[in-house]
PDB file of all heavy atoms in Angstrom:
ATOM      1  N   ARG A1650     100.033 201.302 -73.961  1.00 89.00           N
ATOM      2  CA  ARG A1650     100.384 200.370 -75.102  1.00 89.00           C
ATOM      3  C   ARG A1650     100.600 201.150 -76.361  1.00 89.00           C
ATOM      4  O   ARG A1650     101.694 201.028 -77.013  1.00 89.00           O
ATOM      5  CB  ARG A1650      99.257 199.342 -75.264  1.00 89.00           C
ATOM      6  CG  ARG A1650      99.106 198.342 -74.147  1.00 89.00           C
ATOM      7  CD  ARG A1650      99.657 196.993 -74.525  1.00 89.00           C
ATOM      8  NE  ARG A1650      99.727 196.094 -73.305  1.00 89.00           N
ATOM      9  CZ  ARG A1650      98.811 195.272 -72.932  1.00 89.00           C
ATOM     10  NH1 ARG A1650      97.674 195.210 -73.582  1.00 89.00           N
ATOM     11  NH2 ARG A1650      99.015 194.516 -71.793  1.00 89.00           N
ATOM     12  N   CYS A1662      96.284 197.865 -66.408  1.00 81.00           N
ATOM     13  CA  CYS A1662      97.072 196.867 -67.080  1.00 81.00           C
ATOM     14  C   CYS A1662      98.247 196.394 -66.082  1.00 81.00           C
ATOM     15  O   CYS A1662      98.933 197.290 -65.646  1.00 81.00           O
ATOM     16  CB  CYS A1662      97.648 197.495 -68.380  1.00 81.00           C
ATOM     17  SG  CYS A1662      98.944 196.524 -69.126  1.00 81.00           S
ATOM     18  N   LEU A1663      98.208 195.210 -65.684  1.00 78.00           N
ATOM     19  CA  LEU A1663      99.166 194.724 -64.713  1.00 78.00           C
ATOM     20  C   LEU A1663     100.124 193.650 -65.351  1.00 78.00           C
ATOM     21  O   LEU A1663      99.800 192.489 -65.353  1.00 78.00           O
ATOM     22  CB  LEU A1663      98.422 194.086 -63.524  1.00 78.00           C
ATOM     23  CG  LEU A1663      97.380 194.951 -62.876  1.00 78.00           C
ATOM     24  CD1 LEU A1663      96.583 194.306 -61.854  1.00 78.00           C
ATOM     25  CD2 LEU A1663      98.087 196.290 -62.230  1.00 78.00           C
ATOM     26  N   PRO A1664     101.159 194.074 -65.983  1.00 72.00           N
ATOM     27  CA  PRO A1664     102.008 193.152 -66.770  1.00 72.00           C
ATOM     28  C   PRO A1664     102.599 192.180 -65.779  1.00 72.00           C
ATOM     29  O   PRO A1664     103.049 192.412 -64.732  1.00 72.00           O
ATOM     30  CB  PRO A1664     103.029 193.921 -67.425  1.00 72.00           C
ATOM     31  CG  PRO A1664     102.987 195.269 -66.660  1.00 72.00           C
ATOM     32  CD  PRO A1664     101.704 195.454 -65.971  1.00 72.00           C
ATOM     33  N   PRO A1665     102.566 190.774 -66.253  1.00 70.00           N
ATOM     34  CA  PRO A1665     103.114 189.753 -65.271  1.00 70.00           C
ATOM     35  C   PRO A1665     104.677 189.916 -65.074  1.00 70.00           C
ATOM     36  O   PRO A1665     105.116 189.369 -64.160  1.00 70.00           O
ATOM     37  CB  PRO A1665     102.768 188.446 -66.107  1.00 70.00           C
ATOM     38  CG  PRO A1665     102.529 188.842 -67.542  1.00 70.00           C
ATOM     39  CD  PRO A1665     102.085 190.259 -67.440  1.00 70.00           C
ATOM     40  N   GLN A1666     105.290 190.620 -66.024  1.00 64.00           N
ATOM     41  CA  GLN A1666     106.759 190.691 -65.932  1.00 64.00           C
ATOM     42  C   GLN A1666     107.316 191.433 -64.647  1.00 64.00           C
ATOM     43  O   GLN A1666     108.380 191.398 -64.359  1.00 64.00           O
ATOM     44  CB  GLN A1666     107.528 191.088 -67.189  1.00 64.00           C
ATOM     45  CG  GLN A1666     107.211 192.565 -67.559  1.00 64.00           C
ATOM     46  CD  GLN A1666     105.986 192.648 -68.516  1.00 64.00           C
ATOM     47  OE1 GLN A1666     105.104 191.747 -68.607  1.00 64.00           O
ATOM     48  NE2 GLN A1666     106.030 193.602 -69.483  1.00 64.00           N
ATOM     49  N   GLY A1667     106.542 192.299 -64.087  1.00 62.00           N
ATOM     50  CA  GLY A1667     106.959 192.966 -62.930  1.00 62.00           C
ATOM     51  C   GLY A1667     106.128 194.030 -62.416  1.00 62.00           C
ATOM     52  O   GLY A1667     105.240 194.490 -63.191  1.00 62.00           O
ATOM     53  N   PRO A1668     106.398 194.515 -61.188  1.00 63.00           N
ATOM     54  CA  PRO A1668     105.523 195.562 -60.553  1.00 63.00           C
ATOM     55  C   PRO A1668     105.619 196.856 -61.201  1.00 63.00           C
ATOM     56  O   PRO A1668     104.665 197.612 -61.130  1.00 63.00           O
ATOM     57  CB  PRO A1668     105.979 195.501 -59.129  1.00 63.00           C
ATOM     58  CG  PRO A1668     107.436 195.033 -59.186  1.00 63.00           C
ATOM     59  CD  PRO A1668     107.457 194.076 -60.318  1.00 63.00           C
ATOM     60  N   SER A1669     106.764 197.256 -61.750  1.00 67.00           N
ATOM     61  CA  SER A1669     106.880 198.649 -62.117  1.00 67.00           C
ATOM     62  C   SER A1669     106.003 199.031 -63.367  1.00 67.00           C
ATOM     63  O   SER A1669     105.866 200.291 -63.578  1.00 67.00           O
ATOM     64  CB  SER A1669     108.388 198.902 -62.475  1.00 67.00           C
ATOM     65  OG  SER A1669     108.767 198.081 -63.517  1.00 67.00           O
ATOM     66  N   GLY A1670     105.533 198.135 -64.076  1.00 64.00           N
ATOM     67  CA  GLY A1670     104.809 198.468 -65.332  1.00 64.00           C
ATOM     68  C   GLY A1670     103.335 198.656 -65.196  1.00 64.00           C
ATOM     69  O   GLY A1670     102.711 198.845 -66.164  1.00 64.00           O
ATOM     70  N   ALA A1671     102.794 198.705 -63.911  1.00 71.00           N
ATOM     71  CA  ALA A1671     101.397 198.883 -63.869  1.00 71.00           C
ATOM     72  C   ALA A1671     100.983 200.193 -64.385  1.00 71.00           C
ATOM     73  O   ALA A1671     101.541 201.231 -64.198  1.00 71.00           O
ATOM     74  CB  ALA A1671     100.991 198.787 -62.278  1.00 71.00           C
ATOM     75  N   HIS A1731     100.012 195.550 -56.989  1.00 88.00           N
ATOM     76  CA  HIS A1731     100.921 195.087 -57.994  1.00 88.00           C
ATOM     77  C   HIS A1731     102.310 195.720 -57.897  1.00 88.00           C
ATOM     78  O   HIS A1731     103.301 195.016 -58.012  1.00 88.00           O
ATOM     79  CB  HIS A1731     100.303 195.440 -59.404  1.00 88.00           C
ATOM     80  CG  HIS A1731     100.995 194.785 -60.566  1.00 88.00           C
ATOM     81  ND1 HIS A1731     100.847 193.471 -60.818  1.00 88.00           N
ATOM     82  CD2 HIS A1731     101.927 195.262 -61.470  1.00 88.00           C
ATOM     83  CE1 HIS A1731     101.659 193.097 -61.854  1.00 88.00           C
ATOM     84  NE2 HIS A1731     102.244 194.249 -62.267  1.00 88.00           N
ATOM     85  N   GLN A1734     103.805 194.209 -54.657  1.00 88.00           N
ATOM     86  CA  GLN A1734     103.748 192.726 -54.740  1.00 88.00           C
ATOM     87  C   GLN A1734     103.426 192.179 -53.306  1.00 88.00           C
ATOM     88  O   GLN A1734     103.999 191.255 -52.756  1.00 88.00           O
ATOM     89  CB  GLN A1734     105.050 192.105 -55.148  1.00 88.00           C
ATOM     90  CG  GLN A1734     105.478 192.515 -56.584  1.00 88.00           C
ATOM     91  CD  GLN A1734     104.611 191.690 -57.648  1.00 88.00           C
ATOM     92  OE1 GLN A1734     104.855 190.598 -57.704  1.00 88.00           O
ATOM     93  NE2 GLN A1734     103.759 192.488 -58.342  1.00 88.00           N
TER      94      GLN A1734
END
Side-chain angles (χ1 to χ4, degrees):
R1650 293 255 168 91
C1662 170
L1663 307 169
Q1666 65 265 29
S1669 57
H1731 191 74
Q1734 297 284 294

